[in-house]
Amino acid sequence: MGQNILIEHDAACTVLTLNRPEKLNPLDWSTVRELKEAVNQLGAGPPVLVTGAGRAFCAGGDLTGYIGLYKRPEDFRAFLFDFRDMLVAIERSERIFIAAINGACAAGGLELLLACDIVLAAQDAQIGDAHLNFGQLPGAGGSQRLPRAIGSLRAKHLMLSGRFLSGQEAMDIGLANEVVPGSELMPRARAFARKLVEHSPGGLRGVKHLVNQGMGMPLAEALEFEIDYVHRYATTDTDATEGLRAFAEKRQPAYRSFKG
C-alpha cells in the first residue's frame, strides 16, 4: 500500500483519507488502485469515513496525467475500469461508507461521493461535476449515479453548467445528508459512525443492500426481492430476534460484533 491513502482504524470506524493535499487529492490511476485495494481489504466491520487531507476532499482526476493516458487508449480504458470497480466495491461493501466533504469536491471527487451511503458536508464545501469546465466527461459513473440521486434535470444542469454548490445547496438538492461548520465535520462524522455501531451489523448491511440492489430493479421485482431478503434475515440472523427480545425485556440489545 502506498501513501496516497492514509488508513486509520478504531472501534467505531475506519478512516480513509486521500493524502495528496498539495494537489487537492486527485484520483489519479495510482490513487484509484490504492483506494480500490484498501476497500477490497476491509471486509466486514464498522463504518468507513472517507475524507481528504488539507483543504479539499478531492478536486477530481489528474488532468495533466490524462493527456498521456489519452494517447494510450487501452491504458485509459483500464483506468476507467479500475475507477468503476473501486466505486462498485464501495457500493457492494458490507460496511457503511460516510463521505466527509471538507472542501473542494469535483468531477471524480463527486463520483466518489455518489458511491458512498451517507454524505456530511462542511458549510464551505464546494461540490460540483465540473468535467465540462475542462472539456471532459464523467467516466466513473457520474452521468449515471448523479441523475439517480437528484433527478435528471438537476443532474444535467449541474453537469452542463459546471457550477459548484455550497454544502447547504448540496443538501437542498439531495447531494448531502447534513451540513456542519468545517471545524465540526470530522467530530460529527465520527459521532455519526459511533451511533451506527449501536445498531445491528446485519441490519445495517441489510438496509444498504436492499436500497442499492433494489434501485436497479423494476418496482415489482424489487418488492419481491425485499420480501425474500427480509424473510431470510428475520429467520436466520440472530440480531433480528435479539432486537425483539431486548425490547420485551427492557434492556439494550447485545448484537453480534461488527467483526463477524
Side-chain angles (χ1 to χ4, degrees):
M1 189 73 68
Q3 290 301 308
N4 292 339
I5 308 293
L6 298 180
I7 305 175
E8 172 193 351
H9 298 281
D10 63 34
C13 65
T14 293
V15 181
L16 301 180
T17 303
L18 303 180
N19 189 41
R20 292 179 64 197
E22 73 285 355
K23 299 289 187 179
L24 301 183
N25 305 316
L27 285 168
D28 58 5
W29 200 353
S30 63
T31 303
V32 165
R33 285 171 165 168
E34 194 173 326
L35 187 54
K36 177 183 174 182
E37 181 181 356
V39 172
N40 285 332
Q41 289 181 352
L42 284 174
V48 179
L49 307 185
V50 183
T51 193
R55 59 190 179 91
F57 174 74
C58 171
D62 178 3
L63 297 183
T64 303
Y66 283 155
I67 296 174
L69 270 181
Y70 289 175
K71 295 177 181 178
R72 307 191 310 275
E74 291 307 310
D75 281 349
F76 181 56
R77 178 177 289 274
F79 162 74
L80 291 176
F81 276 115
D82 276 338
F83 204 158
R84 181 203 64 182
D85 292 347
M86 180 267 289
L87 298 180
V88 169
I90 289 174
E91 291 179 323
R92 292 182 178 174
S93 172
E94 294 187 356
R95 299 209 194 191
I96 303 298
F97 276 71
I98 302 167
I101 310 300
N102 54 304
C105 174
L110 177 62
E111 291 175 304
L112 176 57
L113 175 159
L114 289 166
C116 293
D117 304 297
I118 297 292
V119 178
L120 307 181
Q123 289 174 342
D124 59 353
Q126 296 177 302
I127 301 171
D129 177 71
H131 279 97
L132 279 183
N133 292 353
F134 303 96
Q136 307 301 299
L137 292 172
S143 67
Q144 305 307 306
R145 289 187 179 92
L146 188 60
R148 285 166 170 79
I150 63 174
S152 61
L153 285 177
R154 283 175 169 165
K156 284 186 284 188
H157 182 264
L158 203 59
M159 288 189 285
L160 292 170
S161 69
R163 70 181 294 257
F164 285 85
L165 307 175
S166 67
Q168 183 62 51
E169 288 175 314
M171 188 175 76
D172 289 344
I173 68 168
L175 271 180
N177 299 99
E178 295 184 22
V179 179
V180 298
S183 61
E184 299 176 16
L185 179 63
M186 288 307 292
R188 174 57 187 147
R190 289 179 182 275
F192 192 92
R194 286 194 298 272
K195 189 67 176 176
L196 290 183
V197 170
E198 296 176 7
H199 294 304
S200 151
L204 291 174
R205 182 170 61 248
V207 167
K208 175 171 180 171
H209 185 70
L210 283 168
V211 173
N212 284 356
Q213 296 302 309
M215 284 292 289
M217 302 176 185
L219 180 57
E221 182 182 343
L223 292 174
E224 291 293 329
F225 164 71
E226 181 187 70
I227 286 175
D228 289 342
Y229 189 96
V230 172
H231 177 267
R232 184 169 60 254
Y233 170 73
T235 57
T236 63
D237 194 307
T238 57
D239 284 350
T241 300
E242 171 59 17
L244 298 180
R245 286 177 174 165
F247 173 77
E249 296 167 9
K250 297 180 173 58
R251 61 173 173 82
Q252 291 296 312
Y255 294 127
R256 292 175 296 114
S257 167
F258 272 87
K259 295 180 181 179

